[in-house]
Amino acid sequence: HHFHNMTMWADDLYMSVPFLVRYSQFTGDQKYLDDAANQFFGFKKRLFMPEEKIMSHVYDFKYDSKTNVPWGRGNGWVIGGLAEILKTLPAEDTEYRPFYLQLFKELSESLANLQNKDGFWHASLLDPDSYPSPETSATGFIVYGLAYGVNQGYLPADKYLPVIQKGWNALVSAVEPDGKLGWVQPVGADPRKVTREMTELYGTGAFLMAACEMYKINK
């Protein structure tokens, strides 16, 4: 991959990489697995914030720098993407699985520590007071990722279950009597104001993915 004259968005790690891993399974062609991993390596190299151990949202090649935007949903896309990859990658894969699993565990730990006391993850992970309202798309993806990790035995249940349960309770509190999920930040590139009325399909999708994993936890 030659990433020049472009902007790199953390979202791609959910939107393209899991697809490539699936496509490799479907076609039996290793090159798609290699392509997926190269994309992930390149993104991690440029977007990972080593102090905070979370992902920045954007890398701007024009200025050759990352924006250091610790966006809630941006990190939600990444942990959700990692869960999808681990779900699809053959269990016997020794070439790439250790890398994905290591990053999954590292992000899980950082994100668990950044949960707000209200159970939500906020639009800005490192400065929740800047946008103090709940944000359910980040919360949905993170609960999904952490719950998947516990269900697979990748994350210790005693440490993560309280975080997951608190996050799930927060998500449920954002559902209106008619079933509409609120507090979803609209399409964007960085933390913004969110209100209870706001909803988007990806917020609902993340909620349902989290619900599937919660069902397994509570079975």
Side-chain angles (χ1 to χ4, degrees):
H1 265 290
H2 297 290
F3 303 115
H4 49 81
N5 300 332
M6 60 171 259
T7 309
M8 191 181 254
W9 306 90
D11 316 35
D12 295 339
L13 296 177
Y14 183 87
M15 292 168 193
S16 66
V17 183
F19 168 78
L20 287 168
V21 175
R22 281 210 172 86
Y23 198 64
S24 168
Q25 292 299 97
F26 179 68
T27 58
D29 194 333
Q30 174 73 25
K31 77 174 179 209
Y32 298 110
L33 270 191
D34 298 339
D35 195 20
N38 286 334
Q39 206 166 315
F40 226 109
F41 297 153
F43 273 60
K44 179 177 186 262
K45 192 172 118 188
R46 293 172 179 88
L47 291 177
F48 194 63
M49 299 165 73
E51 308 291 302
E52 299 81 6
K53 293 192 164 40
I54 55 174
M55 300 290 269
S56 172
H57 188 236
V58 183
Y59 190 91
D60 190 326
F61 280 84
K62 193 169 146 198
Y63 300 104
D64 197 26
S65 66
K66 59 176 176 278
T67 54
N68 287 329
V69 174
W71 190 29
R73 184 163 71 243
N75 278 273
W77 289 129
V78 178
I79 192 138
L82 282 165
E84 294 297 297
I85 290 164
L86 290 168
K87 200 180 273 190
T88 314
L89 204 61
E92 64 277 7
D93 174 277
T94 52
E95 194 175 356
Y96 297 130
R97 187 174 264 283
F99 163 78
Y100 290 126
L101 193 53
Q102 171 64 31
L103 184 57
F104 177 79
K105 289 177 175 175
E106 209 166 346
L107 277 180
S108 295
E109 185 167 7
S110 311
L111 291 171
N113 290 333
L114 290 168
Q115 185 180 38
N116 206 267
K117 57 182 181 298
D118 59 11
F120 289 99
W121 280 265
H122 289 228
S124 175
L125 290 175
L126 301 179
D127 182 14
D129 298 340
S130 59
Y131 296 96
S133 58
E135 205 290 289
T136 53
S137 60
T139 303
F141 279 117
I142 295 168
V143 168
Y144 163 66
L146 298 181
Y148 172 77
V150 166
N151 281 329
Q152 293 303 308
Y154 299 147
L155 302 174
D158 55 344
K159 180 177 167 181
Y160 284 91
L161 274 178
V163 176
I164 292 165
Q165 194 60 57
K166 198 172 172 183
W168 176 248
N169 295 345
L171 281 169
V172 172
S173 76
V175 180
E176 301 294 350
D178 65 359
K180 174 182 153 182
L181 175 70
W183 298 113
V184 181
Q185 188 188 334
V187 174
D190 51 12
R192 292 288 158 102
K193 186 174 184 291
V194 193
T195 65
R196 182 151 191 141
E197 297 69 62
M198 292 177 174
T199 195
E200 297 283 347
L201 286 174
Y202 49 76
T204 313
F207 182 96
L208 292 171
M209 286 160 71
C212 292
E213 294 298 328
M214 291 307 296
Y215 177 75
K216 290 176 195 159
I217 279 179
N218 293 317
K219 226 162 48 167

